mmCIF file of all heavy atoms in Angstrom:
data_model
loop_
_atom_site.group_PDB
_atom_site.id
_atom_site.type_symbol
_atom_site.label_atom_id
_atom_site.label_comp_id
_atom_site.label_asym_id
_atom_site.label_seq_id
_atom_site.Cartn_x
_atom_site.Cartn_y
_atom_site.Cartn_z
ATOM 1 N N MET H 290 -32.319 272.154 -46.494
ATOM 2 C CA MET H 290 -33.209 271.042 -46.197
ATOM 3 C C MET H 290 -34.028 270.700 -47.440
ATOM 4 O O MET H 290 -34.640 271.578 -48.036
ATOM 5 C CB MET H 290 -34.159 271.396 -45.058
ATOM 6 C CG MET H 290 -33.468 271.715 -43.735
ATOM 7 S SD MET H 290 -34.656 272.144 -42.449
ATOM 8 C CE MET H 290 -33.540 272.548 -41.105
ATOM 9 N N PHE H 295 -45.151 269.283 -50.453
ATOM 10 C CA PHE H 295 -45.354 270.685 -50.109
ATOM 11 C C PHE H 295 -45.413 270.853 -48.589
ATOM 12 O O PHE H 295 -46.186 270.169 -47.922
ATOM 13 C CB PHE H 295 -46.644 271.214 -50.734
ATOM 14 C CG PHE H 295 -46.813 272.703 -50.580
ATOM 15 C CD1 PHE H 295 -46.349 273.563 -51.564
ATOM 16 C CD2 PHE H 295 -47.411 273.246 -49.445
ATOM 17 C CE1 PHE H 295 -46.488 274.938 -51.429
ATOM 18 C CE2 PHE H 295 -47.554 274.618 -49.298
ATOM 19 C CZ PHE H 295 -47.088 275.467 -50.292
ATOM 20 N N ILE H 301 -41.816 267.073 -42.816
ATOM 21 C CA ILE H 301 -41.032 265.897 -42.441
ATOM 22 C C ILE H 301 -39.615 266.061 -42.959
ATOM 23 O O ILE H 301 -39.385 266.233 -44.169
ATOM 24 C CB ILE H 301 -41.640 264.596 -43.003
ATOM 25 C CG1 ILE H 301 -43.117 264.466 -42.580
ATOM 26 C CG2 ILE H 301 -40.827 263.387 -42.544
ATOM 27 C CD1 ILE H 301 -43.325 264.325 -41.099
ATOM 28 N N ILE H 327 -61.397 272.613 -56.983
ATOM 29 C CA ILE H 327 -61.793 273.629 -57.969
ATOM 30 C C ILE H 327 -60.749 273.709 -59.069
ATOM 31 O O ILE H 327 -61.073 273.800 -60.264
ATOM 32 C CB ILE H 327 -61.991 274.997 -57.290
ATOM 33 C CG1 ILE H 327 -63.197 274.946 -56.345
ATOM 34 C CG2 ILE H 327 -62.193 276.094 -58.327
ATOM 35 C CD1 ILE H 327 -63.382 276.218 -55.531
ATOM 36 N N PHE H 329 -58.697 271.301 -60.042
ATOM 37 C CA PHE H 329 -58.763 270.090 -60.875
ATOM 38 C C PHE H 329 -59.868 270.204 -61.920
ATOM 39 O O PHE H 329 -59.681 269.832 -63.082
ATOM 40 C CB PHE H 329 -59.000 268.852 -59.988
ATOM 41 C CG PHE H 329 -57.903 268.595 -58.982
ATOM 42 C CD1 PHE H 329 -58.179 267.884 -57.817
ATOM 43 C CD2 PHE H 329 -56.620 269.066 -59.188
ATOM 44 C CE1 PHE H 329 -57.176 267.645 -56.882
ATOM 45 C CE2 PHE H 329 -55.614 268.840 -58.255
ATOM 46 C CZ PHE H 329 -55.898 268.128 -57.101
ATOM 47 N N GLY H 336 -57.334 272.877 -69.667
ATOM 48 C CA GLY H 336 -56.050 272.223 -69.924
ATOM 49 C C GLY H 336 -55.002 272.617 -68.899
ATOM 50 O O GLY H 336 -55.232 273.433 -68.012
ATOM 51 N N SER H 338 -51.969 274.011 -69.591
ATOM 52 C CA SER H 338 -51.266 275.254 -69.941
ATOM 53 C C SER H 338 -51.825 275.757 -71.270
ATOM 54 O O SER H 338 -52.519 275.029 -71.983
ATOM 55 C CB SER H 338 -49.754 275.018 -70.068
ATOM 56 O OG SER H 338 -49.464 274.194 -71.189
ATOM 57 N N GLY H 378 -43.438 293.004 -62.910
ATOM 58 C CA GLY H 378 -42.574 294.119 -62.528
ATOM 59 C C GLY H 378 -41.685 294.562 -63.673
ATOM 60 O O GLY H 378 -41.536 295.767 -63.936
ATOM 61 N N VAL H 381 -43.607 296.542 -66.444
ATOM 62 C CA VAL H 381 -43.988 297.890 -66.037
ATOM 63 C C VAL H 381 -42.775 298.798 -65.988
ATOM 64 O O VAL H 381 -42.793 299.924 -66.527
ATOM 65 C CB VAL H 381 -44.693 297.861 -64.664
ATOM 66 C CG1 VAL H 381 -44.834 299.263 -64.093
ATOM 67 C CG2 VAL H 381 -46.059 297.205 -64.800
ATOM 68 N N LEU H 385 -42.040 302.144 -68.288
ATOM 69 C CA LEU H 385 -41.925 303.458 -67.676
ATOM 70 C C LEU H 385 -40.546 304.079 -67.891
ATOM 71 O O LEU H 385 -40.415 305.304 -67.961
ATOM 72 C CB LEU H 385 -42.224 303.357 -66.180
ATOM 73 C CG LEU H 385 -43.676 303.068 -65.811
ATOM 74 C CD1 LEU H 385 -43.823 302.909 -64.308
ATOM 75 C CD2 LEU H 385 -44.606 304.175 -66.322
ATOM 76 N N ASP H 390 -39.310 310.885 -67.319
ATOM 77 C CA ASP H 390 -38.046 311.625 -67.328
ATOM 78 C C ASP H 390 -37.031 311.078 -66.335
ATOM 79 O O ASP H 390 -35.823 311.166 -66.561
ATOM 80 C CB ASP H 390 -38.311 313.105 -67.011
ATOM 81 C CG ASP H 390 -39.220 313.763 -68.029
ATOM 82 O OD1 ASP H 390 -39.113 313.408 -69.217
ATOM 83 O OD2 ASP H 390 -40.037 314.617 -67.642
ATOM 84 N N ASN H 413 -30.564 310.829 -46.881
ATOM 85 C CA ASN H 413 -30.367 311.447 -45.563
ATOM 86 C C ASN H 413 -31.692 311.964 -44.976
ATOM 87 O O ASN H 413 -31.750 313.049 -44.398
ATOM 88 C CB ASN H 413 -29.350 312.584 -45.637
ATOM 89 C CG ASN H 413 -27.975 312.093 -46.042
ATOM 90 O OD1 ASN H 413 -27.576 310.993 -45.667
ATOM 91 N ND2 ASN H 413 -27.254 312.898 -46.812
ATOM 92 N N PRO H 436 -42.508 296.176 -47.688
ATOM 93 C CA PRO H 436 -41.163 295.664 -48.005
ATOM 94 C C PRO H 436 -40.730 294.556 -47.056
ATOM 95 O O PRO H 436 -41.283 294.379 -45.965
ATOM 96 C CB PRO H 436 -40.273 296.906 -47.850
ATOM 97 C CG PRO H 436 -41.199 298.072 -47.921
ATOM 98 C CD PRO H 436 -42.491 297.583 -47.328
ATOM 99 N N LYS H 456 -45.909 315.044 -62.688
ATOM 100 C CA LYS H 456 -46.748 313.856 -62.873
ATOM 101 C C LYS H 456 -45.997 312.662 -62.301
ATOM 102 O O LYS H 456 -44.847 312.399 -62.675
ATOM 103 C CB LYS H 456 -47.074 313.626 -64.338
ATOM 104 C CG LYS H 456 -47.950 312.393 -64.573
ATOM 105 C CD LYS H 456 -48.233 312.176 -66.044
ATOM 106 C CE LYS H 456 -49.063 310.893 -66.229
ATOM 107 N NZ LYS H 456 -49.322 310.613 -67.669
ATOM 108 N N ASN H 465 -46.598 290.817 -51.254
ATOM 109 C CA ASN H 465 -46.677 290.361 -49.878
ATOM 110 C C ASN H 465 -47.967 290.755 -49.178
ATOM 111 O O ASN H 465 -48.210 290.337 -48.044
ATOM 112 C CB ASN H 465 -45.487 290.906 -49.062
ATOM 113 C CG ASN H 465 -44.206 290.170 -49.366
ATOM 114 O OD1 ASN H 465 -44.196 288.954 -49.496
ATOM 115 N ND2 ASN H 465 -43.121 290.905 -49.502
ATOM 116 N N GLU H 473 -57.122 300.583 -48.531
ATOM 117 C CA GLU H 473 -57.611 301.854 -47.986
ATOM 118 C C GLU H 473 -56.477 302.791 -47.605
ATOM 119 O O GLU H 473 -56.621 304.014 -47.677
ATOM 120 C CB GLU H 473 -58.502 301.601 -46.766
ATOM 121 C CG GLU H 473 -59.797 300.847 -47.054
ATOM 122 C CD GLU H 473 -59.608 299.347 -47.161
ATOM 123 O OE1 GLU H 473 -58.477 298.862 -46.926
ATOM 124 O OE2 GLU H 473 -60.596 298.648 -47.476
ATOM 125 N N ASN H 476 -55.494 305.710 -49.884
ATOM 126 C CA ASN H 476 -56.455 306.761 -50.244
ATOM 127 C C ASN H 476 -55.841 308.152 -50.220
ATOM 128 O O ASN H 476 -56.226 309.020 -51.000
ATOM 129 C CB ASN H 476 -57.672 306.710 -49.311
ATOM 130 C CG ASN H 476 -58.574 305.520 -49.601
ATOM 131 O OD1 ASN H 476 -58.520 304.944 -50.698
ATOM 132 N ND2 ASN H 476 -59.377 305.133 -48.632
ATOM 133 N N ILE H 488 -48.522 296.042 -59.024
ATOM 134 C CA ILE H 488 -48.119 294.744 -59.550
ATOM 135 C C ILE H 488 -48.099 293.748 -58.409
ATOM 136 O O ILE H 488 -48.011 294.143 -57.233
ATOM 137 C CB ILE H 488 -46.731 294.793 -60.228
ATOM 138 C CG1 ILE H 488 -45.649 295.108 -59.189
ATOM 139 C CG2 ILE H 488 -46.707 295.793 -61.360
ATOM 140 C CD1 ILE H 488 -44.251 294.818 -59.659
ATOM 141 N N LEU H 491 -49.101 286.328 -57.752
ATOM 142 C CA LEU H 491 -50.303 285.666 -57.228
ATOM 143 C C LEU H 491 -49.953 284.338 -56.559
ATOM 144 O O LEU H 491 -50.829 283.583 -56.175
ATOM 145 C CB LEU H 491 -51.301 285.443 -58.354
ATOM 146 C CG LEU H 491 -51.786 286.720 -59.064
ATOM 147 C CD1 LEU H 491 -52.683 286.366 -60.244
ATOM 148 C CD2 LEU H 491 -52.505 287.647 -58.094
ATOM 149 N N LYS H 545 -59.803 282.799 -40.944
ATOM 150 C CA LYS H 545 -59.025 281.872 -40.127
ATOM 151 C C LYS H 545 -57.646 282.463 -39.808
ATOM 152 O O LYS H 545 -57.155 282.352 -38.680
ATOM 153 C CB LYS H 545 -58.859 280.525 -40.842
ATOM 154 C CG LYS H 545 -60.123 279.703 -40.947
ATOM 155 C CD LYS H 545 -59.851 278.395 -41.679
ATOM 156 C CE LYS H 545 -61.120 277.561 -41.828
ATOM 157 N NZ LYS H 545 -60.854 276.309 -42.583
ATOM 158 N N ASN H 549 -55.955 283.398 -36.126
ATOM 159 C CA ASN H 549 -54.637 282.945 -35.678
ATOM 160 C C ASN H 549 -53.763 284.123 -35.257
ATOM 161 O O ASN H 549 -53.027 284.037 -34.265
ATOM 162 C CB ASN H 549 -53.946 282.152 -36.787
ATOM 163 C CG ASN H 549 -54.525 280.749 -36.944
ATOM 164 O OD1 ASN H 549 -55.260 280.270 -36.080
ATOM 165 N ND2 ASN H 549 -54.208 280.085 -38.041
ATOM 166 N N PHE H 574 -37.199 288.688 -36.996
ATOM 167 C CA PHE H 574 -36.204 288.795 -35.924
ATOM 168 C C PHE H 574 -34.813 288.800 -36.552
ATOM 169 O O PHE H 574 -34.617 288.324 -37.679
ATOM 170 C CB PHE H 574 -36.352 287.654 -34.914
ATOM 171 C CG PHE H 574 -36.269 286.270 -35.510
ATOM 172 C CD1 PHE H 574 -35.066 285.588 -35.563
ATOM 173 C CD2 PHE H 574 -37.419 285.649 -36.003
ATOM 174 C CE1 PHE H 574 -34.993 284.305 -36.111
ATOM 175 C CE2 PHE H 574 -37.355 284.368 -36.552
ATOM 176 C CZ PHE H 574 -36.145 283.701 -36.608
ATOM 177 N N SER H 580 -33.599 280.935 -34.550
ATOM 178 C CA SER H 580 -33.953 279.862 -35.479
ATOM 179 C C SER H 580 -33.401 278.521 -35.000
ATOM 180 O O SER H 580 -34.081 277.492 -35.057
ATOM 181 C CB SER H 580 -33.432 280.159 -36.882
ATOM 182 O OG SER H 580 -34.167 281.183 -37.493
ATOM 183 N N ILE H 589 -39.600 274.785 -37.416
ATOM 184 C CA ILE H 589 -38.777 275.308 -38.510
ATOM 185 C C ILE H 589 -39.346 276.644 -38.977
ATOM 186 O O ILE H 589 -40.550 276.785 -39.223
ATOM 187 C CB ILE H 589 -38.719 274.320 -39.698
ATOM 188 C CG1 ILE H 589 -37.942 273.061 -39.278
ATOM 189 C CG2 ILE H 589 -38.080 274.960 -40.917
ATOM 190 C CD1 ILE H 589 -37.852 272.014 -40.364
ATOM 191 N N TYR H 595 -31.574 286.770 -48.560
ATOM 192 C CA TYR H 595 -32.634 287.092 -49.524
ATOM 193 C C TYR H 595 -32.078 287.662 -50.817
ATOM 194 O O TYR H 595 -32.356 287.186 -51.901
ATOM 195 C CB TYR H 595 -33.607 288.075 -48.871
ATOM 196 C CG TYR H 595 -34.826 288.397 -49.705
ATOM 197 C CD1 TYR H 595 -35.597 287.388 -50.254
ATOM 198 C CD2 TYR H 595 -35.193 289.716 -49.926
ATOM 199 C CE1 TYR H 595 -36.719 287.675 -51.021
ATOM 200 C CE2 TYR H 595 -36.315 290.006 -50.685
ATOM 201 C CZ TYR H 595 -37.069 288.995 -51.233
ATOM 202 O OH TYR H 595 -38.173 289.295 -51.970
ATOM 203 N N THR H 608 -49.891 280.992 -40.882
ATOM 204 C CA THR H 608 -50.828 280.783 -41.984
ATOM 205 C C THR H 608 -52.227 280.467 -41.447
ATOM 206 O O THR H 608 -52.410 280.195 -40.253
ATOM 207 C CB THR H 608 -50.383 279.627 -42.908
ATOM 208 O OG1 THR H 608 -50.659 278.369 -42.250
ATOM 209 C CG2 THR H 608 -48.902 279.717 -43.241
ATOM 210 N N ASN H 624 -41.860 282.898 -25.934
ATOM 211 C CA ASN H 624 -41.892 283.562 -24.626
ATOM 212 C C ASN H 624 -40.796 283.069 -23.685
ATOM 213 O O ASN H 624 -40.520 283.703 -22.657
ATOM 214 C CB ASN H 624 -43.251 283.360 -23.956
ATOM 215 C CG ASN H 624 -44.341 284.204 -24.615
ATOM 216 O OD1 ASN H 624 -44.064 285.198 -25.277
ATOM 217 N ND2 ASN H 624 -45.584 283.790 -24.426
#
Side-chain angles (χ1 to χ4, degrees):
M290 299 179 183
F295 188 92
I301 305 296
I327 293 174
F329 298 155
S338 67
V381 168
L385 290 176
D390 299 324
N413 297 325
K456 180 181 178 182
N465 284 319
E473 295 81 4
N476 287 340
I488 65 165
L491 300 175
K545 290 180 182 178
N549 285 346
F574 56 93
S580 288
I589 292 179
Y595 186 51
T608 76
N624 287 339

